[in-house]
Amino acid sequence: KRNTVSWFAVADCTGHGVPGAMVSVLCINALVQSLSENPHSNTGELLDKVRDLVVSTLSKEDRSVKDGMDISLARFDHETNLLQWTGANNPLWIFRGEEILVTSPDKQPVGQFEGAKSFTTHEIQLEPNDWVILFSDGYADQFGRPKNKKYKYATFKEFIQAHKNKSGAELKSSLKEEFEAWKGLHEQTDDVCVMGIKLI
């Protein structure tokens, strides 16, 4: 029987320069290892295991245990169209007709966190033409026109809603043009990652 499940994610690690790159490699390796060892886990259980690995490794390396990862992690069953999703600080948006379904994340990173709890697994039954949007905070946090203000999540959401009937390639192009127009001559504030998946 062929594999009918796909995993996908958008993640953003803390830190800058070489230390930030090292944390990124650590988090990616922890995610791959956890998925390999626990292929039938739900998304929340998987992030719990990833967090344990990340915290353990950072502690052994005597690095700041404040380092970690924000992530939007999804598991999609192609036979049932059921989406499992877990978010660490990053939400999930689903654009369905005139509706925008927002699923809030757990307000904690994948890393050391005072009062940390088990991550929550959300299940959403997808429908044809749904747009599933995962993203890091870089797009909404970009400073730009007209008064060097942040773009903000509400504007980001409204823009996608206004362009959701485009093809994937067209939506990508529109998002890029909008971002560049907003940024103008300002420096880019942060890494930007936006993933859009449409159910057909």
Side-chain angles (χ1 to χ4, degrees), residues 104-120:
S104 298
D106 292 303
K107 292 296 185 180
Q108 57 184 14
V110 178
Q112 189 70 41
F113 183 75
E114 187 175 348
K117 300 177 181 178
S118 296
F119 284 101
T120 308

Side-chain angles (χ1 to χ4, degrees), residues 131 163 166-177 196:
W131 263 113
H163 294 79
K166 294 182 175 181
S167 69
E170 290 170 336
L171 179 57
K172 177 183 176 181
S173 179
S174 294
L175 282 167
K176 185 175 181 180
E177 289 174 7

Side-chain angles (χ1 to χ4, degrees), residues 75-95:
R75 178 183 188 273
F76 178 65
D77 189 315
H78 296 265
E79 290 190 339
T80 63
N81 287 345
L82 184 68
L83 183 77
Q84 273 187 6
W85 176 82
T86 296
N89 287 327
N90 292 339
L92 172 72
W93 294 346
I94 296 176
F95 293 80

Side-chain angles (χ1 to χ4, degrees), residues 9-200:
V10 167
D12 187 16
C13 296
T14 59
H16 299 280
V18 173
M22 295 300 291
V23 172
S24 296
V25 171
L26 165 61
C27 290
I28 291 168
N29 288 343
L31 186 59
V32 171
Q33 179 181 334
S34 298
L35 183 55
S36 176
E37 294 175 353
N38 308 276
H40 301 296
S41 293
N42 62 41
T43 52
E45 292 169 342
L46 192 73
L47 276 196
D48 288 338
K49 296 179 187 303
V50 173
R51 176 172 57 192
D52 290 345
L53 272 174
V54 169
V55 172
S56 174
T57 305
L58 287 174
S59 297
K60 289 176 184 175
E61 294 182 356
D62 198 29
R63 286 183 51 80
S64 169
V65 290
K66 292 182 179 179
D67 287 331
M69 169 175 65
D70 294 340
I71 189 171
S72 187
L73 175 68
R75 178 183 188 273
F76 178 65
D77 189 315
H78 296 265
E79 290 190 339
T80 63
N81 287 345
L82 184 68
L83 183 77
Q84 273 187 6
W85 176 82
T86 296
N89 287 327
N90 292 339
L92 172 72
W93 294 346
I94 296 176
F95 293 80
R96 176 178 296 169
E98 297 308 309
E99 285 186 284
I100 305 174
L101 310 178
V102 177
T103 306
S104 298
D106 292 303
K107 292 296 185 180
Q108 57 184 14
V110 178
Q112 189 70 41
F113 183 75
E114 187 175 348
K117 300 177 181 178
S118 296
F119 284 101
T120 308
T121 300
H122 301 269
E123 293 193 340
I124 303 108
Q125 188 64 55
L126 296 184
E127 298 178 4
N129 296 315
D130 280 354
W131 263 113
V132 179
I133 306 291
L134 289 70
F135 48 88
S136 64
D137 59 1
Y139 200 105
D141 283 351
Q142 177 61 45
F143 288 93
R145 66 179 190 195
K147 299 179 180 178
N148 199 23
K149 301 287 188 181
K150 284 186 178 182
Y151 188 75
K152 295 186 178 178
Y153 285 101
T155 312
F156 185 27
K157 191 185 298 178
E158 289 169 4
F159 186 84
I160 295 175
Q161 178 71 345
H163 294 79
K164 69 181 187 301
N165 292 326
K166 294 182 175 181
S167 69
E170 290 170 336
L171 179 57
K172 177 183 176 181
S173 179
S174 294
L175 282 167
K176 185 175 181 180
E177 289 174 7
E178 173 74 355
F179 183 82
E180 292 297 332
W182 175 264
K183 182 170 73 71
L185 298 177
H186 298 282
E187 289 187 4
Q188 185 167 322
T189 307
D190 197 1
D191 298 331
V192 173
C193 186
V194 180
M195 178 187 291
I197 296 174
K198 188 172 186 179
L199 187 66
I200 57 174

